[in-house]
Amino acid sequence: MKELSATALVELWKLVYTSFRFPFLHAALRLKLFTLLKERPGSTLDEITGELGLEERAGHVLMLGCCAFDLVRKEGDGYQNTAATDLVAGDPDDFMPVITRYTHEMLYQPMGWLYESLVKNENLGLDRELLAGSSATTLYELLAEDKNLEQVFTAMMEHQSRSVVEDIVTAVDFSSYRKVLDVGGGTGTNAISFAQRWPQLQATILELPNVAEMANARIAEVGLSERVHAVGTDIWQDEFPTSHDCVVYSRFRSRRTRTSP
């Protein structure tokens, strides 16, 4: 019988306990532990529990888990962030805090249905978790009903759009177009960049009504309301506006429906 590798066993235990690590990351982020330790590195357990408003036992559990999963380091009686958790210690609207919240709110529980989804070849996680107890039959219908999820999803998509819009502007020449239709354009990251790059361009964004409101507010902030505007609509049901000579689908998510009545 082949001798068990101690290193392999350690790696396997890390994989097994991954399901514990992420909840500690998310909880510590929501409690602003990492922000506290970035501002006051070396804080003690008593100082941390007091600052975060936790009972002694709850603070002990939090810090024990964060240490066990390498989210913080303990040096003497004080605690420090790691290089990784320093990345989520700043603005909650930065990329990594947004992605962490999105993962917690929209991915973590549905991913628990991965095995069943693969066997059935159906998106059971969406059905059994996100759509459970809702009258919505698609993710987008759910976002229209749940303002919290809508904000989480929109923030994530905005960050992802920022990561690719420069490549789009560089790779695609819009100079011959006059009116662009940006389908599912979020809060306007693409359309604003297009309008700033090509002064002759007008852009219309099609989005969920609440997202369209956020987009128009952002467009007004950058002074482009005369050339860029967002329209609240159901892109699966409503007809698209006419007169556009270019239609953009960037990071467009396909429709997903529940799999059971």
Side-chain angles (χ1 to χ4, degrees):
M1 182 176 179
K2 186 177 180 180
E3 183 178 351
L4 185 65
S5 166
T7 301
L9 185 58
V10 170
E11 291 301 315
L12 180 58
W13 275 116
K14 287 182 179 179
L15 292 173
V16 170
Y17 282 113
T18 296
S19 60
F20 290 87
R21 174 175 286 164
F22 181 80
F24 272 98
L25 171 66
H26 177 258
L29 179 63
R30 292 291 300 275
L31 288 166
K32 300 183 179 179
L33 170 66
F34 304 129
T35 300
L36 170 63
L37 293 182
K38 187 169 187 175
E39 295 173 351
R40 291 160 50 186
S43 294
T44 65
L45 179 60
D46 287 343
E47 291 170 340
I48 291 169
T49 54
E51 188 67 26
L52 300 185
L54 298 175
E55 297 293 334
E56 180 180 355
R57 177 173 174 77
H60 176 74
V61 170
L62 173 66
M63 300 313 296
L64 181 63
C66 285
C67 284
F69 296 122
D70 298 321
L71 303 176
V72 300
R73 301 189 313 271
K74 187 178 182 184
E75 299 176 0
D77 291 331
Y79 295 86
Q80 311 264 354
N81 284 335
T82 65
T85 51
D86 244 0
L87 296 177
V88 293
D91 187 344
D93 292 325
D94 282 346
F95 179 72
M96 289 311 301
V98 165
I99 293 301
T100 301
R101 188 179 177 196
Y102 168 77
T103 300
H104 172 77
E105 298 277 358
M106 301 194 69
L107 298 183
Y108 197 81
Q109 289 180 301
M111 281 299 294
W113 293 89
L114 178 60
Y115 167 77
E116 292 83 359
S117 297
L118 294 173
V119 171
K120 296 288 187 179
N121 195 32
E122 297 175 355
N123 195 346
L124 295 180
L126 175 65
D127 187 19
R128 306 293 173 83
E129 296 294 340
L130 293 183
L131 298 181
S134 170
S135 61
T137 60
T138 70
L139 174 61
Y140 293 99
E141 288 180 8
L142 179 65
L143 295 178
E145 293 180 1
D146 190 319
K147 298 302 179 284
N148 173 62
L149 285 184
E150 182 182 63
Q151 291 176 355
V152 170
F153 182 82
T154 301
M156 183 277 299
M157 291 298 291
E158 181 177 340
H159 273 287
Q160 292 194 336
S161 293
R162 290 177 193 171
S163 69
V164 299
V165 68
E166 290 186 10
D167 292 335
I168 295 175
V169 170
T170 300
V172 182
D173 183 6
F174 287 85
S175 61
S176 62
Y177 300 116
R178 292 295 178 267
K179 297 185 69 176
V180 172
L181 184 65
D182 189 5
V183 182
T187 55
T189 299
N190 287 344
I192 289 171
S193 295
F194 299 160
Q196 290 173 333
R197 173 64 177 81
W198 289 281
Q200 87 288 351
L201 206 61
Q202 297 181 25
T204 302
I205 301 165
L206 297 186
E207 257 298 352
L208 296 169
N210 288 322
V211 179
E213 289 182 12
M214 290 188 282
N216 283 324
R218 185 178 174 201
I219 292 164
E221 288 178 359
V222 296
L224 286 172
S225 296
E226 292 186 1
R227 292 197 290 127
V228 182
H229 72 284
V231 177
T233 187
D234 182 347
I235 60 176
W236 303 108
Q237 301 291 335
D238 301 334
E239 292 187 6
F240 285 8
T242 58
S243 304
H244 295 83
D245 53 1
C246 177
V247 180
V248 175
Y249 292 85
S250 174
R251 304 196 66 84
F252 189 78
R253 301 299 178 94
S254 61
R255 186 170 185 165
R256 290 288 184 264
T257 60
R258 65 166 65 243
T259 57
S260 59

